[in-house]
Amino acid sequence: MRIGLVTGDPGHPLLAATTALLTPEHRVETLDPDSVERTPERPADVYLLKSHTPRSLALARALEGRGAPVVNSAAATTLCQDRTAMADRARRAGLPFVPTRTFGTLAELADGPRLAGPVVVKSRHSRKQDLVARLDDATHLRQLAATRPQEPVVVQEFVPNSGWDHKLWVVDGRLFAALRRSELSPGGRGPDRPLASDALPAGWPDLVRRVGEVFALDVYGVDVIDAGDGAPLIVDINAFPGIRGQAGAPEALAALALRRAVRPPSA
């Protein structure tokens, strides 16, 4: 079996561990979207789409056009890159997603009506080094707007919580969990704390798996905060996140790749 990795970083711990599991019996090939000039004439039997750049998504769509299965699909990955579309899809499906408003630019937000109470401002388009900040007053907003005035943003309500995010990941239906100090907390982001999935509040595992159904995702992450008394509030959804340090995640990913692979007609 030929398994393709769409990534510029095949040494990522999750991908490297998955590759090590597959290579004794299968061939793993890396397709770097920043260097590939054309779609392979003979695509691999399945591709794992770890990169989310525009070039990566265009490459994934081209591979799908040649009949190759891509995990996650280009369409599902693209949806999760747009926080406006993400929030709309989630709330229309009845998921407890934090209320989200969209603004064309950060400057537009700063020039508009005064925001009531603390809010969380994020880049509309999810990517590396995107904007995620808590704003408590107009002064802070103006200072932030001066640094990147043309950034399209979303504004989410700030819901008082413990300061810990529940990082919940799913690989082909298998749930992994950790606690991570929120980057919005006074001390900033901290290391993950292990969390057994059976230690989650009642209903949370089913909720996280429902996210996968709604967004057509096989490998994904859901950031959830406890809004009080175990009530979950989703604040972000990520297609194919890193899932570092989770025992069993590489095994689940390897099994998923083989299950989704399409053998060539000559096989």
Side-chain angles (χ1 to χ4, degrees), residues 187-198:
R189 176 179 290 176
D192 290 355
R193 287 186 179 179
L195 180 66
S197 58
D198 59 8

Side-chain angles (χ1 to χ4, degrees), residues 3-11 15 28-40 47-60 63 128:
I3 296 93
L5 307 178
V6 180
T7 180
D9 182 20
L15 295 181
V28 179
E29 308 167 351
T30 298
L31 206 56
D32 185 344
D34 291 328
S35 61
V36 66
E37 295 182 357
R38 62 179 63 88
T39 307
Y47 287 92
L48 302 180
L49 178 58
K50 183 66 179 73
S51 178
H52 304 153
T53 65
R55 287 179 63 92
S56 302
L57 294 170
L59 177 58
L63 291 167
K128 287 186 178 180

Side-chain angles (χ1 to χ4, degrees), residues 83 120-123 130-134 148 183-184 236:
R83 290 189 168 103
V120 177
V121 175
K122 299 179 180 179
S123 296
D130 60 0
L131 171 66
V132 179
R134 171 177 166 170
R148 47 173 89 185
E183 59 192 305
L184 302 176
D236 220 341

